[in-house]
Amino acid sequence: MIYQPAIETMPVAQLRALQSERFVRLVRYMYEHQPFYRRQWDAHRIDIRSVKSIDDIGRFPFTIKTHLRDEYPFGLMAVPPADLVRIHASSGTTGKPTVVGYTRADIDMFAEVVARSLCCAGALPGMKLHNAYGYGLFTGGLGLHYGGERLGMAVIPVSGGMTDRQLMLLQDFGPEVISCTPSYALTLAEAIRERGIPLEKFKLRYAILGAEPWTETTRQAVEAGLGVTATNIYGLSEIVGPGVSQEDFEEKGGSHIWEDHFFPEIVHPDTGEPQPYNTEGILVFTTLTKQGIPLMRYRTNDICSLYYDSGSKRTHIKMSPIKGRSDDMLIIRGVNLFHTQVEAVLHDMPEFSANYQLIIYREGALDAVEVLVELSEVIYAAIGARLPINDEFLNQLKRRLEKKIKDNIGLSMRITLADRDALPRSEGGKLKRILDRR
Ligand code: ADP
């Protein structure tokens, strides 16, 4: 089912016209209501009356996270606090969090894009949604909650953690849809396997996973472990929260950005130059319809590419899976490294599970990487025992992985094999893929 067919299948030319109309209105609104932007645009000598279409967007400077922090907490809001109906904040690992405010119309738009996303993920009105995203300042919990209700689902607000209770509710309430982080979906899948619960006890059909980068390896593990079709939901609190983009459950491969509300661009990480379709770079968004805190050309720091997929049911542009954040990109002996590159190599070797960590350490004056990875079921079936096993077979396996990493990524890494379930799991939160011991 398509939730809003008139919008989701709108011809691209018409979509562009809608974006232009909204953009022209937005620029005036922001200039009038956000002193930060008025100052910035005046300093850049941008005459907003000369802005005629979305094609003028390249004339505007970027907004970055620091701008939001500098205006902490409410300086960037376009409306007085009395006009807000909700305030969220991102976790912000360092310093003050970034704060976002929503008017009633913003909450309405947020619910609409999440309802669209849920439908795109396979959910239908009348189904139940087990929402295991955290409820709180983080936008995930309430975002999926309102979207599920909007679509006409019965939402079960479980939030994260307490895995045994989650397994009980999943069996007793029989939800068809679950939303959570990919790492928590893996935790649930493992818990089901460990406890020997047959999948027939569940009615789950679809999993909607987001809030952190994940890959095909995780998709396969979640799909097999929970008996679902798993798709990606992407978003960030600065733009609205989850539901900025969503993967279709039959097409997979890339996520539709809801272009009538969020205008995407890809820019070069160093020069800021706009990049053509199918070229990787930093994802930038302009909010076309937000009232509380509209943002112009916000640099997400997430790395991906954009493309139109003519074979798709919907016309909106797609983004490739996020490869990582430009601020989490590691530079090891001059080579750029994202942990998802290691994950992609592991994916090609069925002997390894999707549970891995990269440990960055010093070797003399140089940086070095150790890959700590759990073995998969395939291995236990073959060797019939747990580690440690001094086995030529496992040594060979290590050497094969070492070589494949060297060939594909261009770096030598030390490999340490771990028993299944040896790595620490996150309860509901984001899994720590990188341990920096430098
Ligand atoms: P925080 O995690 O700091 O509280 P957000 O919830 O707004 O703040 O996090 C947004 C960020 O999470 C995105 O910019 C992106 O890096 C990451 N993210 C969200 N969804 C996905 C996804 N589906 N794939 C990859 N990364 C994602």
Side-chain angles (χ1 to χ4, degrees):
M1 177 182 136
I2 293 184
Y3 182 63
Q4 291 168 307
I7 298 170
E8 295 174 58
T9 65
M10 185 182 280
V12 174
Q14 212 178 314
L15 201 51
R16 209 57 86 231
L18 178 69
Q19 289 171 331
S20 283
E21 182 195 312
R22 290 183 169 175
F23 183 66
V24 171
R25 209 181 314 142
L26 172 85
V27 164
R28 293 195 177 148
Y29 175 83
M30 292 175 80
Y31 192 80
E32 259 169 50
H33 294 89
Q34 288 169 295
F36 165 83
Y37 283 113
R38 185 197 301 241
R39 282 195 304 273
Q40 195 195 42
W41 300 348
D42 283 347
H44 280 79
R45 299 189 192 293
I46 297 170
D47 175 6
I48 59 156
R49 284 162 309 182
S50 67
V51 172
K52 298 283 183 249
S53 83
I54 193 73
D55 298 333
D56 293 316
I57 198 165
R59 293 165 50 197
F60 289 86
F62 296 112
T63 307
I64 56 174
K65 208 175 181 94
T66 317
H67 293 144
L68 278 100
R69 291 226 177 95
D70 291 348
E71 301 284 325
Y72 177 86
F74 301 138
L76 249 164
M77 305 284 171
V79 299
D83 290 351
L84 298 176
V85 298
R86 197 192 295 167
I87 295 167
H88 277 291
S90 82
S91 55
T93 42
T94 50
K96 300 278 193 194
T98 47
V99 182
V100 285
Y102 301 72
T103 63
R104 193 164 299 287
D106 293 337
I107 291 292
D108 201 54
M109 178 272 277
F110 190 10
E112 174 187 302
V113 294
V114 175
R116 248 189 234 178
S117 300
L118 281 161
C119 233
C120 190
L124 292 171
M127 288 184 175
K128 295 191 254 334
L129 172 65
H130 179 104
N131 186 17
Y133 270 118
Y135 281 68
L137 280 179
F138 168 65
T139 48
L142 285 175
L144 267 293
H145 187 106
Y146 275 58
E149 287 189 355
R150 172 65 59 90
L151 178 59
M153 303 179 80
V155 184
I156 309 163
V158 195
S159 200
M162 293 200 273
T163 301
D164 279 307
R165 191 185 62 162
Q166 303 239 359
L167 293 180
M168 178 185 80
L169 297 178
L170 283 168
Q171 293 175 80
D172 295 349
F173 292 4
E176 296 87 349
V177 187
I178 181 170
S179 48
C180 60
T181 60
S183 44
Y184 195 62
L186 285 175
T187 302
L188 286 172
E190 263 152 36
I192 290 171
R193 196 198 62 218
E194 270 168 14
R195 291 161 184 67
I197 309 171
L199 282 182
E200 295 75 68
K201 297 266 186 189
F202 301 94
K203 293 211 172 67
L204 281 178
R205 292 173 59 194
Y206 303 105
I208 299 170
L209 311 179
E212 60 187 0
W214 58 297
T215 61
E216 290 303 317
T217 320
T218 302
R219 181 173 350 239
Q220 285 168 13
V222 171
E223 291 194 334
L226 296 181
V228 293
T229 298
T231 55
N232 182 50
I233 188 162
Y234 166 89
L236 60 165
S237 48
E238 293 88 331
I239 299 308
V240 77
V244 172
S245 79
Q246 169 68 44
E247 201 174 24
D248 179 273
F249 73 108
E250 288 167 331
E251 296 170 16
K252 293 184 175 168
S255 304
H256 282 293
I257 294 170
W258 306 124
E259 276 191 87
D260 51 328
H261 294 295
F262 317 114
F263 184 78
E265 296 172 86
I266 293 287
V267 303
H268 190 281
D270 303 325
T271 65
E273 277 304 304
Q275 300 295 298
Y277 295 138
N278 294 303
T279 305
E280 246 172 37
I282 290 188
L283 183 59
V284 170
F285 281 111
T286 299
T287 61
L288 294 174
T289 53
K290 231 163 59 157
Q291 294 179 343
I293 176 166
L295 294 182
M296 176 66 73
R297 305 191 83 199
Y298 181 70
R299 285 175 73 122
T300 63
N301 281 336
D302 293 324
I303 308 267
C304 69
S305 61
L306 297 176
Y307 58 99
Y308 279 101
D309 176 359
S310 56
S312 168
K313 285 173 245 164
R314 299 174 183 80
T315 46
H316 293 223
I317 201 163
K318 284 184 174 178
M319 59 187 255
S320 65
I322 301 287
K323 198 164 162 189
R325 295 177 52 82
S326 61
D327 42 10
D328 327 310
M329 188 181 74
L330 295 160
I331 303 182
I332 306 292
R333 298 197 288 273
V335 177
N336 296 350
L337 175 70
F338 288 105
H339 66 78
T340 48
Q341 287 172 280
V342 174
E343 187 166 330
V345 173
L346 294 173
H347 172 60
D348 291 338
M349 298 181 68
E351 296 89 346
F352 298 107
S353 78
N355 299 313
Y356 70 94
Q357 259 178 347
L358 303 189
I359 300 165
I360 318 300
Y361 62 100
R362 284 269 182 197
E363 205 172 46
L366 294 176
D367 294 333
V369 184
E370 175 182 352
V371 183
L372 188 59
V373 57
E374 288 181 11
L375 296 171
S376 77
E377 286 308 300
V378 176
I379 289 290
Y380 292 99
I383 62 180
R386 288 176 80 86
L387 296 179
I389 307 158
N390 193 2
D391 189 312
E392 188 43 32
F393 171 70
L394 291 183
N395 283 330
Q396 268 183 24
L397 182 62
K398 259 162 89 162
R399 282 197 295 273
R400 267 176 50 219
L401 177 58
E402 255 166 38
K403 179 166 184 327
K404 223 169 142 74
I405 287 179
K406 174 86 188 145
D407 292 347
N408 284 286
I409 304 174
L411 279 171
S412 299
M413 298 186 194
R414 183 163 85 193
I415 312 293
T416 302
L417 302 182
D419 240 332
R420 78 175 157 223
D421 312 334
L423 299 188
R425 299 291 190 277
S426 62
E427 276 279 326
K430 307 186 184 194
L431 184 70
K432 206 157 178 59
R433 293 295 192 187
I434 297 171
L435 293 183
D436 201 333
R437 298 238 171 97
R438 286 175 292 184

